[in-house]
Amino acid sequence: MAGQAQYEELARQLSAVGAVKRDLGRILPPDCSAGSAGVLALLGRHGDMRMSALSELLAVDMSVTSRHAAHLADRGWIERSPDPADKRSRILHLTPEGHAMLVELSRRSTELLAERLDDWTDAEVGRLIALLTRLRASFGDCRTVTHRPTAAPVPPPPVPVSEQTPTTRTPAQAT
């Protein structure tokens, strides 16, 4: 099992992954935010789905999901259709333009990764993929795990009166 220092370094390295995500965000088209790209990717991977399912996958409030869906629908990348099973709900699905945008997003991210990792061997890239896949599996579906607060620190036992350091304050100074 890894030691405390290794876990601390791993935490620092995972925090630094934000720089990679920011670079990936910079290559997005101006009218496609990272959130929009995430919605397109989920619809591309999972197919048509209800807004509530998308909200759960994104691990965000329905109002956020609704804004993403409206943004994507305004650009013609998704369509919102009534759910035949529940007319109050909407089913989201990619349009041909949405599929084309998803292909473009994939091309851009693949090119950036190929550029930044051009000095890596195929084996190193494969090992990174395997390790990241294993890391994700170790955490399971983070969106459905409730946060478990750490146990409150146990206060030290009270010091017996006989071992306490006497004070030299007068009652007026103690206030």
Side-chain angles (χ1 to χ4, degrees):
M1 178 182 242
Q4 181 70 23
Q6 286 180 300
Y7 289 125
E8 289 171 357
E9 180 58 22
L10 177 59
R12 281 190 290 279
Q13 293 300 325
L14 289 173
S15 292
V17 169
V20 174
K21 290 180 73 171
R22 282 188 297 278
D23 264 7
L24 287 167
R26 287 184 189 109
I27 63 166
L28 295 173
D31 58 344
C32 186
S33 67
S36 295
V39 169
L40 290 172
L42 287 172
L43 289 172
R45 182 177 311 124
H46 298 286
D48 298 351
M49 69 178 74
R50 293 174 87 176
M51 290 265 288
S52 57
L54 179 60
S55 185
E56 187 175 318
L57 285 171
L58 290 170
V60 297
D61 187 73
M62 275 292 281
S63 64
V64 174
T65 305
S66 182
R67 284 192 298 274
H68 284 308
H71 177 82
L72 294 169
D74 289 347
R75 277 143 190 81
W77 297 334
I78 67 166
E79 288 181 347
R80 297 174 285 188
S81 307
D83 183 347
D86 180 359
K87 298 294 182 194
R88 296 169 298 165
S89 297
R90 297 281 178 243
I91 300 287
L92 306 176
H93 60 275
L94 289 173
T95 63
E97 294 83 5
H99 282 285
M101 178 53 74
L102 196 51
V103 168
E104 175 63 14
L105 295 173
S106 177
R107 182 193 65 75
R108 287 176 183 222
S109 60
T110 300
E111 283 180 6
L112 178 65
L113 289 169
E115 174 189 315
R116 298 293 165 85
L117 304 180
D118 69 341
D119 60 337
W120 290 41
T121 66
D122 288 349
E124 289 171 326
V125 173
R127 195 165 78 227
L128 178 61
I129 292 167
L131 290 171
L132 288 173
T133 301
R134 184 173 176 196
L135 178 66
R136 286 183 57 201
S138 293
F139 278 81
D141 186 357
C142 304
R143 293 171 297 259
T144 60
V145 176
T146 57
H147 174 70
R148 289 176 292 195
T150 57
V154 177
V159 178
V161 173
S162 62
E163 294 177 21
Q164 291 179 0
T165 307
T167 63
T168 57
R169 288 190 238 160
T170 65
Q173 292 173 323
T175 57

